């Protein structure tokens, strides 16, 4: 009812040409001029979205080109505040870090998303797993692209993590005070490789099956804990109670192994990796930010060691 | 020359990362060393000229008085991260559209794949299986690699080269890392991918992967070659050989380490524990090529045979 009235009065206001001068007719106690003025006000506001309450409530601070708001833009954002507000001017050049840590993280992120999407179509059972992959490849819209991106992304991440470690070594960035972060890095490297390896079995095809068979056969030979390893028999190891059995949930790579690989791959290892990444990034900040390019130190400036 | 065989291996979608590896590792090695050498030249200048050392900002990057030493993350870093994300996404998309992830026949425990290979990043370890028993190649070595990597910051007592590329100031560390990472890891990965064929046999690039190839080579234990038959004696003999290797290599490493004045100074800063850990890791590292040479040159299977384990 009210809607209709407004429309009508709006037309009238338009025809008598006296918009805005305040002496328009009132209908049912509503002043059409005031409504029109408000509507114009709203439309004007849309032209400057950054001034709206909605915008301010989300972004909290202005984003103009003052140093203050550039700083706040980083510090007051939960994702960006991983970064400091300012960094070494030479560290932003590509040639120092090669961006490999950041790219590894981005790839992890891409893998998480594509991985979650793949999980919608995948059952970790001997009956379904292989068929699910076929289904993904042939029927699911973009399923093939999804699987390919997950696979190649994983390979690429292994490469970028190696390169990241390579550059951290070559810039001596593991030296004091960053020793511990290097350790966290090594753990991340191992987790990255394990993520890739556990994923290998999931399509339940010949490639994954034999790769995992070759890989876990080595566990048989673990000293003391594998039934074919040195001293294994003395410790009472058999094919049914050694580490390999624990990894596979059986004495052969079968349905239990598939389920275990799935849980490690989709839940446990990504959880550990994410946790260690948080620690890793936190420590980069706490250890004084990125290590360089630092001013070079000369041999004669080495201080005698205090113990 | 079997070009078709070569192409079959190289064009396998799962081998693309290895091709990438062969391009990317040399590139970044060059990229790092170019900067290292530039820095080294500046270090030499600074060492020669104390006045310059006092005033210079000590980087090869340009710097003028009045320039801020720091820049805002917004936008100078964020825009790079954004660009990097876009480029990586684009590369990954193109890669995923053009090449399909492999999918073989369904898993079949009764039909062994030949060659059956671990994922490419573990092929270095699988290659080691040729020369060592699985408990060494599959368990001890990976553990030592992880522990050794973690130990690096705690045994490297050289304070120079913290936060910049340099070769001159860290020769020993850099050579060690390069031999471990490039020769013992990356090259083994490449060998495992491109060279090892059916039966894990050696096929030169371009040689046909012949599934019926048989190689008649007899590998013998060291004590057999020498002619010791008593298990107790060859057990002790093997131990002595391994111990001798450890002592000799340790001695050689020590000689190498004390060759320059600078390294002697750094060595002085090490605790005994640091020194012994470093020796243990370096000796093990040298052990890999040593055993490989023993096998390839002298057809030696095991050096040390005991009822419980063989080395
Ligand atoms: C999942 C794997 C990893 C991710 C996502 C990651 C991420 C990062 C990022 C984003 C940085 C900031 C600087 C840069 O991009 O270079 C960084 C720094 C660092 N990373 Fe990693 N990293 C990973 C693995 C490793 C590994 C394997 C190591 C070494 C063994 C390592 C050691 C370090 C150290 C010591 C720093 C500080 C470097 C400096 O201050 O110059 N990280 N990491």
């Amino acid at each position: 009812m009210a809607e209709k009235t407004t429309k009508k009065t709006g037309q009238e206001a338009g025809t008598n040409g006296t918009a805005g001068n305040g002496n328009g007719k009132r209908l049912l106690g509503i002043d059409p001029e005031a409504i029109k003025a408000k509507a114009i006000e709203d439309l004007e506001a849309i032209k400057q979205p950054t001034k709206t309450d909605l915008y301010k409530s989300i972004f909290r601070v202005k984003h103009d080109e003052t140093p203050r708001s550039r700083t706040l833009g980083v510090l007051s954002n939960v994702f960006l505040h991983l970064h400091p507000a300012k960094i070494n001017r030479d560290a932003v050049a590509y040639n120092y870090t090669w961006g490999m840590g950041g790219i590894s993280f981005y790839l992890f992120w891409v893998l998480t998303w594509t991985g979650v999407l793949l999980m919608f179509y995948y059952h970790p059972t001997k009956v379904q797993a292989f068929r699910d992959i076929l289904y993904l490849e042939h029927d699911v819209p973009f399923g093939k692209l999804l699987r390919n991106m997950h696979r190649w992304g994983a390979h690429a991440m292994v490469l970028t993590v190696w390169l990241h470690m390579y550059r951290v070594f070559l810039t001596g960035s593991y030296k004091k005070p960053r020793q511990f972060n290097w350790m966290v890095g090594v753990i991340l490297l191992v987790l990255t490789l394990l993520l890739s390896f556990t994923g290998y079995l999931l399509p339940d095809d010949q490639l994954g099956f034999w790769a995992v068979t070759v890989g876990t056969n080595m566990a048989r030979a673990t000293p003391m804990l594998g039934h074919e390893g040195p001293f294994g028999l003395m410790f009472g190891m058999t094919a049914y109670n050694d580490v390999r059995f624990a990894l596979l949930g059986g004495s052969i790579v079968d349905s239990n192994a598939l389920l275990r690989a799935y849980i490690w791959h989709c839940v446990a290892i990504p959880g550990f990796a994410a946790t260690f990444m948080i620690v890793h990034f936190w420590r980069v900040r706490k250890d004084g930010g990125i290590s360089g390019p630092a001013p070079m130190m000369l041999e004669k400036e080495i201080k005698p060691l205090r113990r | 020359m079997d070009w078709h065989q070569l192409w079959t291996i190289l064009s396998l979608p799962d081998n693309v990362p290895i091709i990438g590896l062969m391009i990317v590792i040399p590139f970044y090695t060059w990229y790092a060393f170019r900067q290292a050498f530039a820095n080294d030249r500046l270090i030499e200048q600074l060492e020669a000229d104390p006045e310059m050392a006092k005033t210079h900002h000590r980087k090869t990057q340009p710097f003028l008085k009045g320039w801020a030493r720091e820049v805002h993350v917004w936008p100078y870093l964020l825009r790079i991260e954004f660009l990097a994300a876009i480029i990586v996404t684009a590369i990954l998309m193109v890669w995923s559209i053009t090449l399909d992830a492999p999918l073989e026949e369904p898993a079949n425990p009764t039909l062994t794949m030949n060659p059956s290979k671990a994922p490419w990043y573990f092929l270095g370890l699988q290659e080691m299986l040729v020369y060592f028993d699985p408990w060494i190649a599959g368990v001890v070595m990976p553990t030592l690699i992880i522990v050794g990597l973690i130990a690096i910051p705690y045994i490297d007592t050289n304070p120079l080269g913290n936060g910049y590329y340099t070769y001159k100031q860290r020769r020993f560390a850099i050579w060690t890392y390069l031999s471990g990472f490039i020769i013992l890891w990356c090259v083994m990965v490449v060998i495992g991918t491109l060279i090892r064929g059916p039966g894990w046999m050696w096929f030169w690039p371009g040689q046909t992967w012949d599934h019926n190839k048989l190689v008649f080579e007899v590998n013998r234990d060291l004590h057999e070659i020498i002619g010791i038959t008593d298990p107790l004696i060859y057990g002790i003999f093997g131990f002595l050989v391994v111990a001798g290797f450890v002592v000799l290599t340790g001695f050689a490493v020590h000689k190498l380490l004390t060759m320059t004045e600078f390294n002697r100074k750094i060595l002085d800063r090490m605790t005994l524990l640091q020194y012994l850990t470093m020796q243990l890791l370096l000796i093990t590292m040298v052990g890999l090529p040593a055993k490989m040479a023993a096998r390839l040159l002298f057809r030696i299977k095991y050096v040390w045979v005991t009822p419980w384990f063989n080395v």
Side-chain angles (χ1 to χ4, degrees):
Chain A
M1 184 68 212
E3 223 176 54
K4 254 187 190 164
T5 334
T6 356
K7 247 187 197 157
K8 218 186 217 164
T9 46
Q11 275 171 0
E12 283 168 12
T15 44
N16 66 17
T18 52
N21 58 13
N23 50 11
K25 290 171 227 150
R26 279 176 171 263
L27 202 67
L28 298 173
I30 298 166
D31 179 1
E33 292 308 321
I35 292 176
K36 187 178 175 194
K38 287 224 180 274
I40 290 172
E41 207 176 287
D42 281 356
L43 284 173
E44 287 299 321
I46 290 174
K47 289 188 193 153
Q48 284 181 305
T50 58
K51 295 251 160 52
T52 58
D53 262 359
L54 178 66
Y55 181 92
K56 284 187 204 159
S57 74
I58 297 173
F59 294 102
R60 297 187 59 226
V61 288
K62 274 194 288 194
H63 285 269
D64 45 24
E65 293 195 1
T66 60
R68 181 185 139 81
S69 72
R70 283 178 168 180
T71 305
L72 286 178
V74 172
L75 296 187
S76 65
N77 178 303
V78 65
F79 302 108
L80 299 185
H81 94 283
L82 266 177
H83 291 302
K86 281 181 155 193
I87 51 165
N88 184 344
R89 71 175 301 128
D90 301 316
V92 294
Y94 182 77
N95 62 10
Y96 184 70
T97 67
W98 310 343
M100 285 300 164
I103 293 175
S104 304
F105 178 61
Y106 179 67
L107 283 171
F108 180 74
W109 201 76
V110 170
L111 287 166
T112 306
W113 283 96
T114 51
V116 167
L117 291 176
L118 286 172
M119 282 171 81
F120 281 115
Y121 294 96
Y122 178 84
H123 306 72
T125 64
K126 274 304 228 189
V127 180
Q128 297 226 72
F130 188 79
R131 292 170 200 203
D132 285 340
I133 305 294
L134 290 181
Y135 182 57
L136 264 164
E137 292 213 326
H138 300 291
D139 291 308
V140 177
F142 298 108
K144 197 170 208 168
L145 181 67
L146 199 60
R147 173 163 186 252
N148 290 350
M149 279 182 75
H150 196 71
R151 177 94 170 197
W152 303 141
H155 282 346
M157 184 173 164
V158 172
L159 273 182
T160 57
V161 171
W162 288 4
L163 286 173
H164 172 57
M165 180 165 93
Y166 193 27
R167 98 82 189 146
V168 170
F169 184 88
L170 289 175
T171 56
S173 302
Y174 58 83
K175 298 189 179 198
K176 208 171 180 173
R178 296 183 179 79
Q179 300 104 317
F180 178 71
N181 216 14
W182 170 272
M183 186 191 301
V184 176
V186 175
I187 294 169
L188 282 172
L189 168 75
V190 174
L191 290 175
T192 306
L193 294 177
L194 287 181
L195 265 177
S196 233
F197 185 61
T198 49
Y200 223 65
L201 183 64
L202 298 184
D204 197 29
D205 66 343
Q206 280 285 70
L207 203 61
F209 178 86
W210 288 103
V212 170
T213 302
V214 170
T216 51
N217 273 350
M218 296 202 202
R220 269 208 279 248
T222 314
M224 286 160 313
L225 296 176
H227 73 281
E228 285 177 4
F231 311 111
L233 292 178
M234 288 183 197
F235 279 70
M237 289 299 151
T238 66
Y240 304 98
N241 65 0
D242 65 351
V243 271
R244 181 165 175 277
F245 190 90
L247 289 174
L248 297 178
S251 58
I252 50 164
V253 180
D254 204 31
S255 57
N256 282 350
L258 192 59
L259 184 61
R260 285 190 187 200
Y262 178 74
I263 293 169
W264 282 114
H265 185 76
C266 303
V267 185
I269 306 180
F272 291 135
T275 310
F276 277 101
M277 276 180 208
I278 293 171
V279 177
H280 197 59
F281 300 154
W282 175 256
R283 284 302 295 247
V284 171
R285 290 288 309 274
K286 292 290 141 181
D287 293 339
I290 203 85
S291 59
M296 294 182 291
M297 188 175 164
L298 304 183
E299 195 183 323
K300 56 175 181 259
E301 291 163 350
I302 300 182
K303 294 200 190 77
L305 204 59
R306 273 184 297 132
R307 281 223 179 83
Chain B
M1 193 71 185
D2 185 347
W3 292 104
H4 181 252
Q5 177 72 54
L6 192 63
W7 177 244
T8 317
I9 301 171
L10 290 181
S11 63
L12 212 68
D14 246 3
N15 286 348
V16 169
I18 289 90
I19 316 257
L21 187 79
M22 293 195 305
I23 298 167
V24 154
I25 298 280
F27 171 75
Y28 279 104
T29 306
W30 167 80
Y31 198 44
F33 275 86
R34 202 174 65 129
Q35 296 178 69
F37 293 143
N39 283 345
D40 287 352
R41 283 191 294 274
L42 182 58
I43 288 172
E44 257 162 42
Q45 272 180 321
L46 292 171
E47 270 167 348
D49 183 353
E51 267 319 299
M52 183 180 170
K54 266 184 215 148
T55 51
H56 196 273
H57 70 288
R58 297 192 176 194
K59 296 183 192 179
T60 41
Q61 284 87 355
F63 187 77
L64 291 182
K65 256 211 184 112
W67 281 9
R69 283 185 190 274
E70 295 196 316
V71 291
H72 276 286
V73 160
W74 182 305
Y76 297 105
L77 178 59
L78 292 177
R79 68 179 180 196
I80 294 175
E81 291 177 346
F82 186 57
L83 194 65
I86 290 173
I87 293 172
V88 172
T89 312
I91 292 175
L92 195 59
M93 285 282 214
V94 172
W95 187 359
S96 304
I97 289 168
T98 49
L99 287 177
D100 284 339
L103 186 68
E104 301 276 336
E105 301 286 302
N108 182 353
T110 57
L111 190 72
T112 314
M113 288 258 284
N114 190 10
S116 81
K117 292 189 178 184
W120 60 272
Y121 36 84
F122 287 147
L123 285 182
L125 297 174
Q126 202 177 350
E127 177 69 16
M128 283 299 134
L129 275 176
V130 177
Y131 308 98
F132 292 94
D133 274 0
W135 69 276
I136 301 184
V139 183
V140 174
M141 279 202 289
T143 311
L144 274 181
I145 293 173
I146 296 167
V147 172
L149 282 174
I150 290 179
I152 289 176
Y154 301 101
I155 56 182
D156 183 352
T157 50
N158 179 0
L160 298 184
N162 185 345
Y164 51 90
Y165 292 96
T166 171
Y167 168 66
K168 195 169 97 74
Q169 293 184 332
R170 300 174 58 210
R171 283 201 184 110
F172 192 82
I174 286 180
W175 274 109
T176 310
Y177 192 87
L178 288 186
S179 17
F181 179 58
I182 302 210
I183 301 179
L184 292 180
W185 190 258
C186 292
V187 171
M188 292 300 153
V189 168
V190 172
I191 290 178
T193 312
L194 302 186
I195 309 258
R196 292 299 184 175
W200 205 254
M201 273 190 255
W202 188 284
F203 292 90
W204 291 104
Q207 215 177 333
T208 313
W209 280 15
D210 175 2
H211 281 255
N212 300 316
K213 178 172 168 176
L214 286 176
V215 178
F216 292 100
E217 49 188 35
V218 186
N219 295 322
R220 295 192 299 165
D221 299 338
L222 183 61
H223 65 83
E224 288 171 346
I225 298 176
I226 299 193
I228 309 175
T229 46
D230 184 277
L232 180 66
I233 300 196
Y234 66 62
I236 297 173
F237 169 75
F239 169 76
L240 290 178
V241 173
V242 173
F245 169 77
V246 168
V247 172
L248 274 180
T249 316
F251 183 71
V253 167
H254 187 82
K255 276 272 159 229
L256 206 65
L257 256 174
T258 46
M259 237 160 54
T260 68
E261 173 72 36
F262 177 69
N263 281 350
R264 283 196 291 275
K265 219 158 82 183
I266 299 304
L267 199 64
D268 262 353
R269 302 165 71 90
M270 279 191 162
T271 62
L272 188 63
L273 183 64
Q274 284 175 323
Y275 179 76
L276 291 178
T277 314
M278 182 190 66
Q279 277 284 16
L280 171 78
L281 295 170
L282 288 175
I283 291 169
T284 319
M285 219 168 115
V286 177
L288 305 186
K291 181 80 194 278
M292 289 167 73
R295 170 70 55 84
L296 297 175
L297 298 178
F298 305 110
R299 303 255 143 259
I300 292 173
K301 187 158 179 237
Y302 294 122
V303 177
W304 180 15
V305 178
T306 75
W308 310 282
F309 60 85
N310 308 313
V311 177

